[in-house]
Amino acid sequence: MTSAVPPSWRSALDAIWAALAGEGAGLGLTDPSPQGSGHRRFEREPEQHVRIAALVQLAQGGDKEAFAQLYDLYVDTVFRYVLVRVANRALAEDLTSETFMRAMRRIDSFTWQGKDIAAWFVTIARNLIADHVKSARFRFEVATADMRDADERVDAPDTEVLTRLRDERLVSAIKQLGPDQAECITLRFLQGLSLADTARVLGKSEGAVKQLQLRATRALRKSLEGVEL
């Protein structure tokens, strides 16, 4: 597998800020998909589901090119998830590659149920991280340097500084959340997973994930009191 490309944080951070500002029903409890943000989410159109289902079927039949296309579709989401867990780009690349190597060996075990395969890939990565990291507890570990691309749309230097400081406050606040809340925020906004897929990764019901996200957004709003949302 080739190395994963660096993730883009701008749209993910924008999605979190939008949720904290109360945009969308229930403080962002709907699927995160701000118009124009460019944020990749995994509630795909029906024709995309058909294509992905076909790729999965071909990959399960031994078609390496089909699996390579699945890799291209999902490597960014897996890499982003791993990176916020380990905060080490080289290790994140290794674990991402290992995730897809393991997925390729186990593709026969995946059963298509009309849902996206994103949660399956992320779950494999989650298990690998637990094997490599002493604590299986989720820790949000994004380094400030990894968010420099978040300033890509900023024009004025002064605005750039303010935006970066604001985003650093947000990242610091996420790090202060409990492990379950931080992982929920990560899966929903940084990965753009649906409620259903997030529930599958966390092993919780969709209702439990909604409540977890609500508590997380409320905790973030409290931590960021005084910051313009």
Side-chain angles (χ1 to χ4, degrees), residues 29-196:
L29 292 180
T30 54
D31 282 333
S33 56
Q35 293 296 318
S37 71
H39 185 47
R40 290 184 63 181
R41 63 190 286 259
F42 287 97
E43 285 294 299
R44 300 181 183 275
E45 298 298 326
E47 59 271 19
Q48 293 176 310
H49 277 293
V50 171
R51 175 176 176 246
I52 292 168
L55 289 174
V56 169
Q57 186 175 18
L58 288 170
Q60 289 178 325
D63 190 324
K64 293 183 180 180
E65 174 58 30
F67 188 85
Q69 291 185 50
L70 290 173
Y71 171 86
D72 289 340
L73 285 168
Y74 295 101
V75 64
D76 181 66
T77 252
V78 172
F79 181 60
R80 191 198 301 267
Y81 176 80
V82 176
L83 187 59
V84 301
R85 291 295 307 271
V86 301
N88 180 298
R89 188 169 294 277
L91 179 57
E93 289 178 352
D94 289 345
L95 289 174
T96 298
S97 293
E98 192 173 345
T99 294
F100 284 95
M101 292 298 293
R102 182 172 293 189
M104 187 165 59
R105 291 193 298 267
R106 299 181 178 181
I107 190 69
D108 286 344
S109 69
F110 177 75
T111 302
W112 183 265
Q113 298 177 329
K115 302 293 183 180
D116 211 331
I117 197 173
W120 188 67
F121 287 133
V122 172
T123 299
I124 293 174
R126 193 173 188 244
N127 292 336
L128 280 172
I129 292 167
D131 292 340
H132 283 77
V133 181
K134 289 183 179 180
S135 173
R137 286 164 58 86
F138 183 90
R139 293 185 301 173
F140 190 87
E141 298 288 359
V142 178
T144 301
D146 289 322
M147 294 191 304
R148 287 176 181 169
D149 69 318
D151 300 316
E152 61 189 9
R153 293 191 322 211
V154 177
D155 296 323
D158 289 346
T159 304
E160 177 181 338
V161 171
L162 291 174
T163 299
R164 184 171 295 172
L165 289 173
R166 183 172 179 260
D167 287 340
E168 287 176 11
R169 286 279 305 272
L170 174 58
V171 169
S172 178
I174 295 173
K175 288 181 178 181
Q176 294 171 23
L177 294 174
D180 286 349
Q181 291 181 359
E183 187 164 22
C184 178
I185 290 294
T186 296
L187 292 170
R188 292 284 285 133
F189 295 104
L190 298 186
Q191 270 61 54
L193 296 187
S194 66
L195 279 170

